[in-house]
Amino acid sequence: MGRSGPTAGEPYAQTSASVRFDWGLQGAIAISEGADVVVVVDVLSFTTALSVAVEAGIEVYPYRFRDASAASFAASKQAVLAVGRSEAGSAGVSLSPLSIRSALQPGGALAQRGRLVLPSPNGSAISRALSERGATVVGACLRNAPAVALWVQRHAAGSPIAVVAAGERWPGDVLRPAVEDLWGAGAVLNALGGLPSPEAQAAIAAYRTAQRTLPGSLAACASGRELIADGHGDEIALAAEFGTSVAVPVLQGECYRAA
């Protein structure tokens, strides 16, 4: 192939399909051309954490970088800044959806402020980039996949829909396709109907294979095993709560709010 990246009009845009699927930021840019709504999926952990926060009425600001600028940005929004899991410890707020749920309790940081800055090089970075290109961006995970699909069907008005698996990063900042995001994207696509591209059909097939064993499959996949090895395996059961949330996070300006 030998090309540096996809551009509009090339076959990578999947323009012959009404429902499209691809990976990461470059894939998102390719398939979002002409799409009315773009759904971002980052199951472990950005969009699962997002679903927990938004269903409680928290405004969530996605942020590309987990550095000093994130702290300044959070201060400008009078928001809680999510930090790394190891940095957060047992009482702080991180990308862990369990830490967010804890901070929502009476007296918790999120219960008091109501705003959260969620830095992530995957789901957050893709969300911001797509929003800046004018797309309507929705955050989906296994917890809210049916609700997201229903909302998208009502709001896409017959226009193409793009679903993006965020993936993870290899050392060197290279995209690592992560099977949990494939399952999450497939769950949304499975409920959407329409005319799926071959890429979308593959994601649907992957989800249908895993749907009966989601908790075990999430624990056994590479990202799940990494969480378990790092002492965060208790997050997996929450991420596997298929269809338990009806909150649909829509990126409005700089922040996600419940639709």
Side-chain angles (χ1 to χ4, degrees):
M1 301 292 284
R3 303 191 182 188
S4 59
T7 59
E10 293 188 10
Y12 310 111
Q14 303 174 30
T15 52
S16 62
S18 64
V19 180
R20 310 165 183 172
F21 168 76
D22 215 308
W23 286 93
L25 178 57
Q26 287 297 318
I29 291 170
I31 64 173
S32 63
E33 185 70 26
D36 191 68
V37 179
V38 184
V39 180
V40 177
V41 181
D42 189 353
V43 170
L44 296 175
S45 304
F46 172 72
T47 51
T48 297
L50 175 65
S51 74
V52 171
V54 166
E55 69 188 2
I58 302 299
E59 295 182 350
V60 178
Y61 293 80
Y63 197 74
R64 291 185 180 91
F65 311 109
R66 193 181 297 161
D67 58 12
S69 69
S72 298
F73 179 76
S76 74
K77 301 299 180 183
Q78 297 184 316
V80 174
L81 173 64
V83 298
R85 287 179 175 87
S86 59
E87 184 181 348
S90 59
V93 180
S94 71
L95 267 175
S96 164
L98 291 176
S99 75
I100 292 172
R101 183 170 283 177
S102 176
L104 289 167
Q105 299 302 311
L110 286 176
Q112 296 176 39
R113 294 200 194 180
R115 296 179 177 180
L116 173 66
V117 173
L118 210 53
S120 158
N122 304 305
S124 276
I126 293 169
S127 297
R128 288 294 294 264
L130 290 172
S131 179
E132 289 166 5
R133 295 173 69 88
T136 297
V137 184
V138 180
C141 59
L142 292 166
R143 299 182 75 245
N144 68 355
V148 167
L150 182 61
W151 188 92
V152 170
Q153 286 173 326
R154 291 174 174 172
H155 288 79
S159 298
I161 300 163
V163 180
V164 180
E168 297 293 338
R169 314 304 298 179
W170 287 112
D173 201 32
V174 177
L175 172 68
R176 175 175 73 80
V179 71
E180 68 274 9
D181 294 343
L182 181 65
W183 296 329
V188 176
L189 291 161
N190 186 61
L192 276 177
L195 178 63
S197 66
E199 290 81 1
Q201 291 174 26
I204 293 168
Y207 163 70
R208 288 178 177 174
T209 298
Q211 64 179 323
R212 297 184 185 279
T213 59
L214 281 173
S217 295
L218 284 175
C221 73
S223 298
R225 292 171 64 190
E226 181 181 26
L227 278 177
I228 292 168
D230 290 342
H232 304 292
D234 52 354
E235 297 178 23
I236 294 171
L238 191 153
E241 292 176 350
F242 182 78
T244 59
S245 177
V246 297
V248 179
V250 180
L251 190 54
Q252 302 171 29
E254 289 185 299
C255 75
Y256 276 105
R257 297 185 178 94

